[in-house]
Amino acid sequence: MAALTSTAMPLTGGVIAFTAAGAGGDTCTTGRGVLLIVKNGDASPHTVTLVTPGNVSGLAIADREVTVAAGAQVGIPVNADYRNPATGLASITYDGVTSLEVAVIRGLA
């Protein structure tokens, strides 16, 4: 898993730097204002999964799955619910990485 770098977005706006999605998944910071942006340049849809650590009364909490349509770009909030207590990061997996690019931004407001 590659650790995605979080880019602070100034109030005046900024350029979003995308990187190829990792075949073995990625990790990123979590918190208020953190957004994972997924750009799908493939001709097929892809599913992005944010692992939800922990459980409630011994039952696992379901992971968050987001489908990104072919040619679409989606923003996914990565709040503290996805923070792995052991690493302090969110774990992200993909059903495929063909033409899939990702970026993590956080607002300064």
Side-chain angles (χ1 to χ4, degrees), residues 47-86:
T47 300
V48 178
T49 302
L50 288 173
V51 177
T52 308
N55 60 63
V56 175
S57 299
L59 300 173
I61 302 169
D63 294 338
R64 167 78 58 205
E65 291 186 347
V66 177
T67 300
V68 182
Q73 191 168 317
V74 173
I76 307 166
V78 188
N79 62 33
D81 292 341
Y82 304 107
R83 183 181 179 276
N84 181 326

